[in-house]
Amino acid sequence: MKHKIVLDSSGNLHAFSGVDFASVPLKIISGDREFVDSADCDVADMVKHLKSYKGKTTTACPGVGDFLEAFGDAENVYCVTITSNLSGAYNAARLAAKTYLEKHPDRKVYVFDSLSTAGEMALLAEKLRDLIREKLAFDKIVEQVKAYQQKTRLMFSLESLHNLAANGRVPGAVAAVAGILGIRLIGKASDAGTLQPTGKARGEKKLILELVRHLKEMGYNGGKVRIDHCDNLNAASTLKQQLLCLFPAADIAIGVAGALCSFYAEQGGLLIGFEVA
C-alpha cells in the first residue's frame, strides 16, 4: 500500500525523509517578478526586493492540477494545507481530491485544513509519518491526526506587518504598531484559522520572555516545538535555549521560513508550531 504526504509550501518543508512526500508551491507576485516557493527560491533576494518595491504584491495558491500532480500514483494520500482563512489552497486541494477519486475510486485521499501554517503543519506531517510507519489503516490515521490537531498550536512574532496589512490580513491600525520603536507584535493562529494578535514586546530580550510566557499560557509543557525564522536565527536560537532551560527533554527544531511564510512574516519574523498538554 503506497502512502504519500502532500503539503503546500507554507509548511516550510521542501523535503521530508522517511516517507513519500511532495511540497506544492505557492507563489508571490510582485510587479513583473514571480517568486515560486520552492527549495531553490532565493528568499533573501525576495525579501530585499519587497522592501524596496512600492507597487502591489499578491500571492497565488496552487491550482487543482498542481495538487493532482503531487498526489502522483499513491494509493493513500494525506494532504495538509495552509489555513483556508488565508488562502484558497485548501479548496484547490479538495477539488483535486475529488477529481483524483473520480479517476481512481479504489484509492483514498484526505485533505486537512491546518487552520494554521508553518511549524504547526510540520507537526501534522510528522504525526502522519509516525502513524504510516505503524502501518495503521487509512481511516485510523486520519482519525488520530485530527485528534492530534486539537493539541497543536501556532504562535508568531513579527517586526513588520506591512505585507499582511497590504493584503487585508490585518487592520492597518494594528500594522502601524509593529516596528515602531522596536515593538514586535505577538500573535497566534485562532481556532478559526485567522491571525489573532495577543500582545507586543519592545526589543528582542523582552520578546523572548513574552514568547515563553505566551507559550506556557497556551498550554505548552515540554512537547515538540518547530521554530521557523525569517533571517532571525539569533532570536530562534535564544528562544530554543530558553525553552530547553525550562524543559530539558523537549524536542525543539529550528528551520528557515520559505518564500510564502517570509512574505507574511517579513524580516525578523518567527513562526512557532508547538504541542500543548
Side-chain angles (χ1 to χ4, degrees), residues 131-184:
L131 295 172
I132 289 170
R133 287 172 170 172
E134 291 181 23
K135 302 186 184 301
L136 297 183
F138 179 88
D139 292 342
K140 193 68 175 177
I141 290 175
V142 169
E143 177 186 339
Q144 290 199 22
V145 172
K146 289 170 71 175
Y148 176 70
Q149 190 175 1
Q150 302 306 307
K151 295 186 177 183
T152 59
R153 303 287 186 271
L154 180 81
M155 176 169 287
F156 57 84
S157 73
L158 307 176
E159 295 185 16
S160 170
L161 278 75
H162 174 268
N163 293 336
L164 282 169
N167 282 266
R169 306 305 188 191
V170 298
V174 174
V177 173
I180 298 175
L181 300 176
I183 290 177
R184 322 300 178 76

Side-chain angles (χ1 to χ4, degrees), residues 218-267:
M218 290 175 65
Y220 179 70
N221 193 35
K224 287 184 177 182
V225 182
R226 299 293 178 259
I227 306 169
D228 294 321
H229 69 91
C230 179
D231 193 26
N232 200 354
L233 178 59
N234 182 68
S237 299
T238 303
L239 176 59
K240 176 179 178 178
Q241 291 306 314
Q242 289 293 318
L243 290 172
L244 287 174
C245 286
L246 296 171
F247 307 99
D251 176 356
I252 303 175
I254 295 174
V256 178
L260 192 282
C261 283
S262 292
F263 170 71
Y264 283 124
E266 301 190 53
Q267 191 167 24

Side-chain angles (χ1 to χ4, degrees), residues 84 177 204-205 247:
S84 58
V177 173
E204 192 164 287
K205 184 176 181 180
F247 307 99

